[in-house]
Amino acid sequence: MIVGEQKPLEEIWSMLKPFKRILVFGCNTCVAVCHTGGNKEAEILASLLRMKARQEGLEMEIKDSGIERQCEHEFYDLMQETLKWPELILSTACGVGVQFTAEKFPDTPVYPALNTTFMGAVDAPGVFSERCQGCGQCILDRTAGICPVSRCAKRLLNGPCGGSTQGKCEINQDTDCAWQLIVDRLKSLNNLDAYETLMPIKDWSKERSGGPRKLIREDLQT
Amino acid sequence: MSAQETAAEQVQEASVEHSPVTTGSWEPNIIAFACHYCAFAAADLAGVMRLSYPPNVKIIRLPCTGRLDHIYVLRALERGIDGVFVAG
Amino acid sequence: MSPNTPSKLEKILSQGHIAVTSECGPPRGSDPQAVLQKAELIKDHVDAINLTDNQTAMTRLCSLASCAHLKLNGYEPVLQMVTRDRNRIGLQSDLLGAASFDIHNVLCLSGDHQSFGDCSGGQNVHDIDSMQLIQTVRHMRDEGKFLGGDEIKRPPQMFVGAAVNPFADPFEIRVPRLAKKIAAGVEFVQTQCIYNLDKFEQWMQEVRKRGLHEKVYILAGLTPMKSAGMAKFMKKNVPGMDVPDEIVKRLSDTAKEKQAEEGLNICVEAIQRLKECEGIKGFHIMAIEWEKKVPEIVEKAGLYPRPQVQE
């Protein structure tokens, strides 16, 4: 799912100061899994902000609400009145949700409470790590199920580089070297010979470089 | 979610009492979340044994402190409670 | 192997001589004298000089310009190209830039991560990786075409090299990795600096088993130790570096003022030993900021004078 981290409270507070009616608006899908932007976290954030407002002696009405997902129209249906009330919507959704909400309420500023970071998995409770960068041309069949685009700091397709040390990346000893992982997996698949196959130059036009992407399914349109 | 609402409601309804100014020194208003089987039972037993504890501590019973939600603590603090005690 | 390019380095190697290369780090400024002075110190003792490319991700005078200055002053440069800073358009363009100065040697590298350098907030590019860069150079040279397919007017005639590190992890793919680079089209390799001669010779044995030593010119990399402190630092702090305890001990047991000399002796002894190692076709002496010692090393190792070849 999409992972994001809540911005520091001071940063959020500095965005809110000019407003009097603020709705902290949660998203209960991806960012609820990483416990940073779900409806519950929105409720908590609203409470903290109310206390901050009182400490600073500012008159502010801060309420909270939330929906299942801030990236699909239908979930907003029951929220039309709620979302008309605030001067500012502080969305705790990922960057997608913030923008989608802003598109639906163009007369109200919608600010992000999160720094959206990556597409990842839950390794363990409280531990989330990056797995995919949406490059648009998946090569996981050739890299033993481990993605060098998202997990190698240099996104080498024919790695590792000379900086790989004891299975860790040169940039950080807590970061696994993706290519060490690939070699280990190839070994356990009895396929180490596949290592010598040269991976061709990648077409990056399918990822961000090629411009914002869109998928249209003709067969699913109404 | 009724248990959560009940507990939260209790916090909402608890009027914020200001401690009687008798000695001229300030006493904090504390809410204690006590779990039914351990801490609440202990508080009960203290009552039975006629042991007293200060009147500025109010107890809210939870089935277990595992039921404690962030929002109970935050709402208590928003209402002006000076400190939250969790026992279980 | 008969030479494919006008490269002086390639000629020396193809004629069966032991080649000697060294390297210079360009300055953190725009004065070409910094590079020319270093080159002047070593010019008669080496066959070609590598110019590093924003090494350790510190912004410096670019390798291309440094190579151009050297070439215009009669030296034989080796253009180092990292894939970290430029996309395939920039890389092909720079290769043409180098070729326009008749620079005939290129070393294809990934490059240290930008977090090590002075612009850690910058993006890295890695549009293509070092292996794909090897393929690209060979494609431009041998097919005379850009990656996009169009013809190149006056294609670059580059002798293509890469770096190898027999001491890096994972160990089991260090020989397959050399095989992969050869399959990509590399013609010469310079190794990471060697201190653990036993382990290096083991690697060479595996290399020879697969016949790879006959498909690529292997130049053994060496860096003389200046002090016991340097040895300890490199042992502990540099990834992919194997410094045996005996080396550290040998230097520590030497009086401080004699340690530099002992470091040079260790370097010369390594060259003497590796001259006997089948498959080693030359030496790459990296004495960064100690370039003035390169002539001494080359002479003591019996590699002076350098062979003359017709350009």
Side-chain angles (χ1 to χ4, degrees), chain C residues 93-107:
Chain C
S93 178
D94 286 355
L95 285 165
L96 290 185
S100 74
F101 285 98
D102 292 319
I103 292 165
H104 295 298
N105 307 297
V106 62
L107 202 78

Side-chain angles (χ1 to χ4, degrees), chain A:
Chain A
M1 80 285 173
I2 299 177
V3 176
E5 292 173 51
Q6 227 180 60
K7 286 176 177 287
L9 204 57
E10 285 305 320
E11 190 184 336
I12 296 176
W13 177 245
S14 66
M15 290 194 273
L16 303 185
K17 275 201 253 193
F19 300 92
K20 297 270 180 285
R21 294 191 314 280
I22 297 159
L23 182 72
V24 185
F25 194 49
C27 172
N28 234 18
T29 307
C30 304
V31 292
V33 177
C34 54
H35 303 284
T36 52
N39 295 350
K40 177 167 163 169
E41 284 76 35
E43 191 183 22
I44 292 170
L45 182 59
S47 176
L48 292 173
L49 291 170
R50 280 194 291 269
M51 286 194 264
K52 179 75 174 171
R54 203 179 312 152
Q55 276 184 332
E56 306 246 326
L58 286 175
E59 287 279 328
M60 271 184 184
E61 262 191 279
I62 303 176
K63 294 193 195 180
D64 70 275
S65 181
I67 53 176
E68 192 60 26
R69 277 202 279 294
Q70 289 187 32
C71 53
E72 285 187 64
H73 292 291
E74 287 78 5
F75 292 113
Y76 290 82
D77 287 346
L78 297 173
M79 285 284 148
Q80 294 300 326
E81 286 310 309
T82 312
L83 288 165
K84 285 207 187 107
W85 167 81
E87 273 178 340
L88 167 74
I89 299 171
L90 179 68
S91 169
T92 65
C94 72
V96 176
V98 177
Q99 291 183 67
F100 204 73
T101 306
E103 283 163 36
K104 294 181 77 64
F105 297 91
D107 300 330
T108 313
V110 182
Y111 287 176
L114 257 53
N115 288 321
T116 308
T117 43
F118 54 83
M119 285 190 275
V122 189
D123 293 329
V127 183
F128 315 97
S129 59
E130 183 160 19
R131 289 290 195 285
C132 179
Q133 285 205 344
C135 73
Q137 267 202 323
C138 194
I139 50 168
L140 285 170
D141 57 317
R142 279 172 281 166
T143 57
I146 292 155
C147 178
V149 176
S150 56
R151 302 186 69 180
C152 171
K154 301 178 184 175
R155 56 185 195 181
L156 301 174
L157 299 181
N158 293 287
C161 71
S164 174
T165 309
Q166 297 184 334
K168 300 294 179 188
C169 179
E170 68 180 18
I171 62 169
N172 188 332
Q173 53 196 27
D174 296 324
T175 305
D176 290 327
C177 168
W179 277 96
Q180 174 76 60
L181 295 175
I182 293 172
V183 168
D184 291 342
R185 182 73 63 76
L186 284 172
K187 268 203 299 198
S188 65
L189 293 169
N190 283 321
N191 198 11
L192 198 51
D193 290 338
Y195 177 77
E196 285 193 37
T197 310
L198 276 162
M199 199 81 76
I201 292 178
K202 194 170 175 67
D203 178 1
W204 295 104
S205 70
K206 302 278 195 297
E207 63 117 53
R208 182 208 63 83
S209 305
R213 294 163 285 177
K214 202 168 185 136
L215 171 68
I216 297 180
R217 283 283 301 275
E218 308 275 349
D219 55 321
L220 295 176
Q221 293 186 299
T222 45

Side-chain angles (χ1 to χ4, degrees), chain C residues 195-220:
Chain C
Y195 298 102
N196 190 337
L197 291 163
D198 291 332
K199 191 161 182 197
F200 182 70
E201 282 175 352
Q202 261 176 1
W203 182 77
M204 281 302 298
Q205 200 172 29
E206 296 302 311
V207 167
R208 286 192 298 263
K209 258 194 215 161
R210 292 185 59 164
L212 301 174
H213 61 306
E214 284 164 0
K215 297 184 183 163
V216 68
Y217 297 112
I218 301 174
L219 277 66

Side-chain angles (χ1 to χ4, degrees), chain C residues 256-269:
Chain C
K256 208 159 177 164
E257 63 278 5
K258 293 257 175 198
Q259 281 178 3
E261 194 186 316
E262 193 63 15
L264 290 172
N265 290 340
I266 294 172
C267 186
V268 171
E269 286 164 27

Side-chain angles (χ1 to χ4, degrees), chain C residues 1-13:
Chain C
M1 295 185 253
S2 60
N4 298 310
T5 71
S7 158
K8 176 180 159 194
L9 178 61
E10 193 187 11
K11 285 205 182 86
I12 288 179
L13 286 164

